Amino acid sequence: LGLGNLDLTVVATPTRVVLREATSAASGGAGRPARCARCSAGGAHSVAVDDAGGVWSWGRNAHGQLGHGGTRPSPAPKKVLPLRARTCVDAAAGGFHSFVVVDDGSLYAFGLGADGRLGLGHCLNASLPEKVPLDAFCRAAAAGAAHGAAVDDAGALYTWGDGSKGALGHRGPKPKSTKAGKKEGGLSSMPSWESARALGEVLAYSSGAAPDSEHAPRRVAALADVRVVAVCASERETACLDADGVVYV
């Protein structure tokens, strides 16, 4: 939860999470907390972006999903220093992996690499942020239990990772659509992370990939004529919203 401990205590009321870098007494003590602009919760970790473009992460880290290097967990928010020279605008936490979008249109990934879910072209883990080979300007990204998705500035949708349940949209007929309301805002996901955690524990001991997996971003051809403006991913699903208020799943 980012509250400073790693026990299994249930917090049933909203509690403030402070984004503050650890400092020594010699440097004058604790600094001023950062102002959060975006946040995302994964299977057992979370990521956030502050209003200055910094990225923070906390929680479990068995597969390097915090992006700090190594697999040591973090009970409180810790800045992802490998991206300190970048201005980050968005972040997404998946089952055991994370994505960060930078203002120059680049996309970074770290964490569990099974099934190609990091989109790096292989199935290896990455405990430090690595650039995803997306040949487009990335606007937004989403992370599911074992897959990822991104939208470029032209409205094209890309997916990668485990596609065995159809979450990538590269098989079969055109994705189903439904008219969305005209309320402001985008999409949100409600994944079943308990099953994602169980799956991740199994995949941690395998470098293989599920059938129909994609190890690098692949454009969803069925939506070639659709301008996507938002995307979200849950356990085994991907949903996107187009410029006309239509939702595709």
Side-chain angles (χ1 to χ4, degrees), residues 137-231:
F137 190 106
C138 184
R139 287 292 186 190
H147 72 291
V151 179
D152 69 17
D153 59 348
L157 177 67
Y158 301 80
T159 56
W160 59 90
D162 180 7
S164 60
K165 300 298 183 181
L168 305 186
H170 301 309
R171 294 189 298 161
K174 188 173 182 178
K176 295 179 180 179
S177 66
T178 179
K179 199 70 174 179
K182 291 299 182 179
K183 295 181 179 179
E184 293 185 0
L187 300 169
S188 62
S189 58
M190 298 179 66
S192 171
W193 291 121
E194 287 302 321
S195 54
R197 183 177 298 111
L199 175 64
E201 290 171 354
V202 174
L203 292 177
Y205 300 98
S206 172
S207 61
D212 302 307
S213 64
E214 297 285 344
H215 297 173
R218 176 182 171 187
R219 185 172 181 177
V220 179
L223 295 176
D225 298 325
V226 175
R227 182 177 177 81
V228 178
V229 296
V231 64

Side-chain angles (χ1 to χ4, degrees), residues 82-123:
L83 292 174
R84 63 185 177 276
R86 304 282 185 173
T87 300
C88 304
V89 295
D90 197 11
F96 298 92
H97 61 301
S98 306
F99 298 117
V100 174
V101 181
V102 179
D103 67 346
D104 64 2
S106 56
L107 175 65
Y108 287 83
F110 39 95
L112 181 66
D115 298 314
R117 70 191 66 191
L118 296 181
L120 300 174
H122 54 69
C123 295

